[in-house]
Amino acid sequence: MFEEHNKLTKASYWLLAISSLIGFVFIAAILPQLTWDTPWVSYVLVAVLGLMLALNTYFAYLIYKRSLKALKLCLWLYGLQIIGFETDNWALSFNFGMNMSVSWSFNSTEVTINFLAAAIFVIILLAYRSVRGANKSINYAPTAPDAAKLRRRTANYVASPQRCRLLRR
């Protein structure tokens, strides 16, 4: 858990919420097209995309509730969406929600890079680093050797009568 939201964490949970909303519209458009003669792979695809969409929505809620672990897991979720591959025989791409991609073809292989997922990945990474850095400075507790050094240093600054007179002036 982190203490308070900054502009990057707010942007993170809003981008995740918007992506979830667009993903729900996409899934709602695909579901009526599935019929009994649709290949079983299409059902698996819809199930996997539905799971990723549910995770995205849940992570948006957890980031809203200030979960540091949700930011870390969102990095994995959006890292999977950045690159997709497609050949003549198979395709692998985990894109849902917002999608703005560019594709390159090499012989019979097509590589797709989702720039929107990469941008969200960078924003979440920056939010994670900003919150993690703030938590380290807040949660600092001196260890026993550090506490002993601190006591020795402050023992040298015991107020003497001359110092007290100087401070009163």
Side-chain angles (χ1 to χ4, degrees):
M1 301 294 278
F2 51 91
E3 294 295 320
E4 61 185 31
H5 286 290
N6 58 24
K7 62 183 177 180
L8 290 170
T9 57
K10 287 179 183 178
S12 296
Y13 71 74
W14 277 110
L15 283 172
L16 291 173
I18 291 169
S19 181
S20 293
L21 184 65
I22 292 171
F24 281 125
V25 170
F26 177 72
I27 293 287
I30 288 178
L31 284 178
Q33 295 175 2
L34 297 176
T35 60
W36 63 273
D37 60 341
T38 305
W40 63 273
V41 175
S42 298
Y43 290 106
V44 171
L45 175 69
V46 169
V48 169
L49 291 178
L51 176 67
M52 290 179 71
L53 184 61
L55 284 173
N56 189 54
T57 307
Y58 184 63
F59 290 155
Y61 173 75
L62 288 179
I63 292 171
Y64 176 74
K65 291 294 185 178
R66 300 184 198 118
S67 173
L68 189 62
K69 188 174 183 176
L71 280 171
K72 192 184 300 186
L73 292 172
C74 277
L75 290 174
W76 284 100
L77 184 66
Y78 277 89
L80 288 173
Q81 295 181 49
I82 293 174
I83 296 177
F85 299 100
E86 185 175 337
T87 64
D88 292 335
N89 299 328
W90 60 274
L92 178 64
S93 179
F94 295 110
N95 292 330
F96 70 92
M98 295 186 286
N99 188 1
M100 186 176 76
S101 58
V102 173
S103 299
W104 289 280
S105 294
F106 306 104
N107 297 331
S108 64
T109 304
E110 185 174 322
V111 177
T112 305
I113 296 179
N114 185 353
F115 287 116
L116 212 48
I120 293 173
F121 179 85
V122 168
I123 290 171
I124 291 172
L125 180 65
L126 293 173
Y128 176 73
R129 286 184 177 175
S130 71
V131 170
R132 189 186 65 183
N135 273 358
K136 282 185 178 179
S137 62
I138 290 172
N139 295 333
Y140 173 72
T143 59
D146 290 341
K149 286 180 188 175
L150 189 61
R151 279 194 299 272
R152 278 183 290 206
R153 286 182 192 156
T154 55
N156 295 336
Y157 296 107
V158 174
S160 66
Q162 292 96 5
R163 286 187 188 159
C164 289
R165 273 189 242 124
L166 289 173
L167 291 175
R168 286 184 204 151
R169 290 184 192 172

